[in-house]
Amino acid sequence: MTASLSSIDSPPPEGLAFLCAPDGAIAHVAAASLEGAELRASLHASVDPSSAEACTLFLRSVSRGGFGRSTPLRIGTRDVHCFGLCRNDVIRIVGVIDPATAAQFADSIEGFADVAEEIRRTESTYELYEELARLNNELVTAQRELARTVAELRRLNDYKDELLGMAAHDLRNPLNANAAFITFLLQDAATMNEDNLVLLRRLETNSRYMLRLVESVLDFSAIQSGHVRLQPEETPIDDLARSVVETMRIIADARQVEVRYVATRELPSMRIDRVKMTQALQNLVSNAVQYSPAGAVVELRAHTIEGGVELEVEDRGPGIPAEELPDLFKPFTRLSTASVSRQRSVGLGLAITKRLIEAHGGTIEVKSEVGKGSIFTVRLRS
């Protein structure tokens, strides 16, 4: 059976309307007005081979669900959007070039009003589906682009760390030499006039600051790149804390700050890298001393907790504003409150401290109140 434009009297404009069985066999053609589109004995026979699979899926969907819409089916020389409604094993199908005209076209065909009603009912849902599909495709594209961007940023960050480490390493030797020259010149301080001595002292201060900056950058660069390897050994926590306090008292005494050590009677031994943990605690105590006024007390407290130890460093300094706490452990972060010692901060000490503690599986947190001081708490677990 063949139905074309010449075989239909007064056909509705621009569309196809026909009845078929679930297997696609066409039983009746109500309208066939699409130029270049020709219906044959079955829908399968009418579509181009490129649309064969889509045709099968469409008929199966309509037969099972009662209503369905096809992807564009190639019928003759036209890409046709088909809508089908199945009732009692009879499928009513309308096909149009523009899906937006499907309901209007179905209304113009006798016996296809229920198809038009179903098209209108599902139109908004289908549009939503298409919008979701479009957004999903955009999201997938954005995720791929983001993944490429993240990979490139990681590569650039690694390159930056490598260059920073190389630069710091190359700067350390000449800075050490300059510091040695300044120390040598200061041996003759008694013979210098006051202006030259002031300039030399400033040069000494700046030189020490530059050395601290270079050493901190080298430490941080090594930690970030993963080159620092812990060398754990059984370490009595009490001995570790006492040695930190004894070392820091030399600096604290010069600033008229008292450093105290308070501990429970029995502290465990833990497998930690003694050198790295000493560095972390010294950073905390050193910061506390720098931000404490003359006559103040800095305490290092240690006590046992379940499965490990807790160490606290408390100062009575100016405290840290609440809005600065979230960024406190980020690299190159400097506080708005001025150090009592007037020593310039490199901004890497706390970042390095946090990395070293976390490398041991520990945690660090801070509580602070402006005008009253700060407490840094380190927890280490076996």
Side-chain angles (χ1 to χ4, degrees), residues 5 7-13 30-33 109:
L5 289 175
S7 63
I8 303 296
D9 294 330
S10 302
S33 59
I109 308 301

Side-chain angles (χ1 to χ4, degrees), residues 4-21:
S4 65
L5 289 175
S6 60
S7 63
I8 303 296
D9 294 330
S10 302
E14 295 302 316
L16 301 173
F18 57 94
L19 276 63
C20 73

Side-chain angles (χ1 to χ4, degrees), residues 7-52:
S7 63
I8 303 296
D9 294 330
S10 302
E14 295 302 316
L16 301 173
F18 57 94
L19 276 63
C20 73
D23 62 1
I26 296 177
H28 172 69
V29 177
S33 59
L34 286 180
E35 184 179 353
E38 184 176 305
L39 294 174
R40 300 183 183 277
S42 72
L43 186 57
H44 288 99
S46 303
V47 301
D48 186 89
S50 62
S51 297

